[in-house]
Amino acid sequence: MSDTLFTKIINREIPADIVYEDDLCLAFKDINPQAPLHILVIPKKPIAMISNATNDDENLLGHLFLKAGDIAKDQGYGEAYRLVVNNGEDAGQTVFHLHIHIIAGRSLKWPPG
Ligand code: AMP
């Protein structure tokens, strides 16, 4: 399988505005922000989508969500933010490397479209 766009960002083959990195994950600003804060948190492990994750990924998934909350707080939006995971094309997924959207900084409607 060829590398996804996000694996290329992890490998520094294409640029991104990286805000956080550790052994397990990378976080960078979305190229097409939907709110004043729009960051993507991705695992370094190339899991295509959340439905492909397994029990072996339990700690990794917990890590991603905890870091997403930390990043929202570090960016000044700890009071209110939304975390989104799109799973599959009909749910709006366009990049098939698991990612959590952190969206904040404006009033968000529910339900999403
Ligand atoms: P999704 O539609 O849930 O798969 O989200 C994919 C997200 O990746 C979208 O919000 C895009 O704007 C974002 N995106 C696509 N290419 C890049 C890129 N090169 N750098 C940063 N974000 C990107």
Side-chain angles (χ1 to χ4, degrees):
M1 203 178 89
S2 62
D3 284 349
T4 66
L5 185 63
F6 289 174
T7 297
K8 289 180 178 154
I9 289 176
I10 293 167
N11 293 334
R12 307 312 203 257
E13 291 164 12
I14 61 171
D17 190 346
I18 293 169
V19 298
Y20 178 80
E21 180 171 24
D22 63 25
D23 289 347
L24 296 176
C25 72
L26 187 73
F28 52 90
K29 293 191 177 168
D30 197 291
I31 205 167
N32 182 24
Q34 301 301 311
L37 184 76
H38 190 169
I39 286 172
L40 303 174
V41 184
I42 67 171
K44 290 189 171 174
K45 180 179 176 181
I47 301 168
M49 54 209 292
I50 190 68
S51 58
N52 287 1
T54 70
N55 288 344
D56 289 345
D57 300 314
E58 189 172 344
N59 287 342
L60 173 60
L61 298 179
H63 183 78
L64 296 177
F65 273 90
L66 291 171
K67 284 299 163 195
D70 290 347
I71 291 164
K73 193 173 175 190
D74 289 348
Q75 296 282 327
Y77 295 94
E79 290 301 312
Y81 54 89
R82 182 174 289 173
L83 303 182
V84 175
V85 177
N86 295 322
N87 188 86
E89 272 178 20
D90 282 353
Q93 187 174 7
T94 58
V95 179
F96 285 80
H97 183 129
L98 175 63
H99 47 282
I100 300 173
H101 295 258
I102 309 171
I103 299 168
R106 66 173 170 82
S107 179
L108 297 168
K109 302 211 178 327
W110 192 263

